[in-house]
Amino acid sequence: MLPTENRLRRREDFATAVRRGRRAGRPLLVVHLRSGATDPHASGESAPPTRAGFVVSKAVGGAVVRNQVKRRLRHLMRDRLPVLPPGSLVVVRALPGSGDADHAQLARDLDAALQRLLGGGAR
């Protein structure tokens, strides 16, 4: 489970990550990353935490399948948060095939997308 301070909750934050961030698509998911975005609602001098949000539509499957995909993605993202720049906004959008995918396949696609967004992969 993602800690509360690392959860993306507000609609404006989702919109900022999707519209102003970079995007990397994979067969099972699309990752939007807005690097080092400052949070105007946060107070204090320390760097804001990296926050992640998830979009899983009905095209993925029924309610049980969608929740299972969200749980898997949250678990995978929790381990990858330290790699991302502080203050980043990440939105992971699950594509219809992700409902049938196992944990390892989701992890492979998430890693490949994040590596591409962080500059480690070729286009």
Side-chain angles (χ1 to χ4, degrees):
M1 187 61 80
L2 277 177
T4 305
E5 66 269 7
N6 295 116
R7 293 183 193 167
L8 202 57
R9 295 178 185 261
R10 291 196 311 269
R11 180 180 182 160
E12 304 86 37
D13 294 336
F14 275 88
T16 299
V18 171
R19 292 188 183 131
R20 295 184 182 163
R22 296 178 58 210
R23 179 182 71 216
R26 303 295 305 158
L28 299 176
L29 46 87
V30 177
V31 178
H32 300 268
L33 173 68
R34 170 91 168 142
S35 293
T38 58
D39 185 6
H41 304 286
S43 59
E45 307 81 33
S46 64
T50 299
R51 293 181 294 152
F54 305 93
V55 178
V56 184
S57 73
K58 287 185 180 180
V60 172
V64 173
V65 174
R66 291 195 313 267
N67 284 322
Q68 184 180 34
V69 169
K70 279 189 276 192
R71 284 193 307 269
R72 285 180 178 170
L73 290 172
R74 275 196 305 261
H75 178 77
L76 291 168
M77 234 11 242
R78 180 187 66 190
D79 297 335
R80 288 150 181 85
L81 285 177
V83 176
L84 299 169
S88 296
L89 302 177
V90 181
V91 173
V92 180
R93 184 167 43 98
L95 297 177
S98 62
D100 300 326
D102 65 359
H103 192 78
Q105 292 170 319
L106 286 173
R108 198 168 33 252
D109 273 8
L110 182 61
D111 287 337
L114 287 175
Q115 183 178 9
R116 181 172 171 195
L117 289 171
L118 294 173
R123 294 190 88 144

